[in-house]
């Protein structure tokens, strides 16, 4: 049963019982998402240790990679070719 069918069933039940009909599906999705986003921002400020540990590991890995590529010496001209020095296709004579 999808959301529309469930909504129709709930509306029917509410009408039979003389109650108010439920809101249509998706009515409060934006408000809910906005509330979740605000709560996460609030927690990030008030509880800095609650941040996911993977973010720190990712940040460290990216910084390490940037430093490594910045300190790596430039390739010299006339150095080894990326193909391993082959000038012809394998198996060709």
């Amino acid at each position: 049963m999808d959301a529309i069918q469930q909504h129709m069933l709930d509306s029917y039940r509410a009408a039979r019982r003389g109650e108010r009909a439920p809101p249509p599906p998706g009515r409060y999705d934006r408000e809910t998402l906005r509330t979740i986003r605000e709560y996460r921002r609030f927690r990030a400020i008030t509880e800095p240790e609650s941040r996911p540990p993977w973010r720190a590991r990712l940040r460290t890995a990216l910084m390490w990679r940037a430093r490594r590529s910045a300190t790596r010496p430039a390739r010299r001209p006339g150095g080894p070719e990326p193909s391993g020095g082959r000038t012809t296709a394998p198996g060709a004579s």
Side-chain angles (χ1 to χ4, degrees), residues 9-67:
L9 182 63
D10 292 342
S11 298
Y12 174 76
R13 277 193 203 133
R16 297 252 326 173
R17 295 178 181 172
E19 300 170 352
R20 217 173 74 191
R27 174 81 187 260
Y28 298 106
D29 288 354
R30 287 184 187 163
E31 183 180 340
T32 303
L33 292 174
R34 190 175 296 123
T35 304
I36 291 169
R37 184 182 65 209
E38 288 174 3
Y39 177 72
R40 285 183 178 172
R41 287 179 178 174
F42 174 76
R43 276 190 49 206
I45 294 170
T46 59
E47 304 172 18
E49 67 277 353
S50 69
R51 292 182 183 153
W54 61 266
R55 284 189 180 176
R57 288 194 303 264
L58 177 64
R59 187 179 309 114
T60 303
L62 291 174
M63 288 173 56
W64 178 81
R65 185 176 180 196
R67 286 185 196 145

Side-chain angles (χ1 to χ4, degrees), residues 69 71-85:
S69 64
T71 59
R72 185 180 291 174
R75 291 185 64 172
R76 292 181 295 172
E81 296 178 14
S83 63

